[in-house]
């Protein structure tokens, strides 16, 4: 057991007893932590609003070994997620980002850069940046940091570079990337997407991987406005990729239908 101090984003809080909560936070140094917050449900909680969903808080906790829950001893609010005042879609996008991080990470396994991506995503939603681009950026960064970036250019079955001057290109979420015309008939469960959709995914993933986040967010996105067909395909691809990684359908995906329109 050791007493640790860090910053974390609140991913989940569930009732544990009449007066306590079990809180799940994502932190930079410790990855995900699940801790008991004693007295958090009392009217005069020692944690005040530091344990509200998606708040960024400074916390002190007693780290337990093995499967035991950690014990939260202090939490102080640093930054509140305010998108409820912006609109329902940004709010749902924030909940979705929290659900993704919770579903794809393990307790006490830090992942470089992931906390930063989550914080930037929540800030972007709060400042009313385009939810469609913000969520796509978040998803691409998350799968990249977890080491699951799909292959956007080389066939996942044979390794050949695919030709993009076609009407549509096969993408296999299960295989983890695109398929060339020779390999496509041998595979199952692939999607057909337009070359423009693929190009957006490839170029944005490359942009996000090479620069500092603050710089990337200031870079112009091409195209600035996504065509409805491309929007719908981007969601289809990312939903399928997330489905494969989390091995279950994420609940908040059902609330993001407006990202396709
Ligand atoms: Zn192939």
């Amino acid at each position: 057991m050791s007493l640790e101090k860090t910053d974390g984003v609140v991913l989940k809080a569930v009732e544990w007893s009449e007066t306590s909560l079990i809180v799940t936070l994502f932190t930079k140094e410790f990855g995900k932590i699940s801790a008991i917050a004693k007295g958090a449900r009392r009217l005069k909680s020692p944690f005040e609003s530091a344990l509200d969903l998606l708040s960024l808080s400074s916390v002190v906790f007693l780290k337990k070994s093995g499967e035991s829950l950690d014990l939260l001893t202090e939490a102080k609010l640093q930054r509140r997620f305010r998108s409820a005042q912006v609109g329902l879609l940004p709010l749902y996008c924030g909940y979705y980002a929290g659900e993704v991080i919770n579903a794809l990470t393990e307790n006490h396994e830090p992942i470089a850069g992931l906390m930063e991506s989550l914080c930037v995503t929540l800030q972007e939603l709060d400042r009313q940046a385009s939810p469609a681009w913000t969520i796509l950026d978040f998803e691409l960064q998350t799968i990249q940091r977890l080491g699951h970036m799909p292959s956007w250019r080389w066939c996942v079955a044979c390794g050949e570079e695919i030709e993009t001057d076609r009407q549509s290109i096969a993408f296999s979420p299960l295989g983890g990337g695109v398929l060339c015309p020779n390999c496509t008939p041998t595979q199952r469960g692939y999607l057909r997407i337009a070359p423009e959709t693929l190009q957006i995914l490839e170029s944005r993933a490359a942009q996000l991987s090479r620069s500092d986040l603050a710089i990337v967010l200031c870079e112009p996105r091409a195209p600035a406005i996504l065509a409805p067909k491309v929007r719908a395909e981007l969601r289809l691809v990312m939903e399928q990729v997330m489905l494969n990684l989390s091995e279950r359908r994420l609940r908040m995906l059902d609330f993001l239908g407006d990202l396709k329109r």
Side-chain angles (χ1 to χ4, degrees), residues 155 157-158 180 183:
C155 171
C158 71
C180 74
C183 297

Side-chain angles (χ1 to χ4, degrees), residues 104-260:
L104 302 185
T105 59
E106 300 292 336
N107 280 1
H108 300 165
E109 284 182 13
I111 292 154
L114 202 51
M115 164 92 168
E116 188 195 13
S117 301
L118 178 60
C119 289
V120 167
T121 301
L122 298 175
Q123 281 171 34
E124 286 292 288
L125 292 169
D126 274 355
R127 70 164 196 91
Q128 306 185 33
S130 150
W133 272 114
T134 304
I135 283 301
L136 180 66
D137 282 357
F138 166 75
E139 291 168 322
L140 289 171
Q141 288 171 64
T142 302
I143 54 181
Q144 182 189 58
R145 297 190 195 296
L146 292 170
H148 293 298
M149 185 60 86
S151 168
W152 307 117
R153 185 172 297 193
W154 289 276
C155 171
V156 283
C158 71
E160 283 288 306
E161 185 165 358
I162 54 145
E163 290 165 20
T164 50
D165 57 347
R166 298 178 174 272
Q167 258 194 331
S168 72
I169 291 156
F171 174 82
S172 164
L174 194 62
V178 290
L179 294 165
C180 74
N182 291 336
C183 297
T184 305
T186 68
Q187 304 288 317
R188 286 188 309 158
Y190 57 83
L191 315 167
R192 286 220 162 261
I193 57 173
E196 302 99 283
T197 307
L198 185 67
Q199 204 262 328
I200 289 172
L201 287 163
E202 190 191 5
S203 63
R204 194 62 186 162
Q207 217 175 357
L208 288 164
S209 73
R210 66 166 189 268
S211 15
D212 187 277
L213 266 188
I215 300 171
V216 174
L217 293 171
C218 297
E219 282 178 12
R221 285 148 172 166
I225 296 169
L226 298 166
K229 178 181 160 40
V230 172
R231 241 173 209 264
E233 286 187 356
L234 287 171
R235 290 317 309 149
L236 184 64
V237 169
M238 294 319 296
E239 282 179 12
Q240 291 296 314
V241 168
M242 288 298 165
L243 182 71
N244 268 307
L245 290 181
S246 60
E247 293 171 340
R248 64 186 162 90
R249 188 167 169 85
L250 299 166
R251 203 173 58 90
M252 286 312 297
L253 277 176
D254 294 339
F255 295 83
L256 302 185
D258 282 351
L259 293 180
K260 296 176 193 168

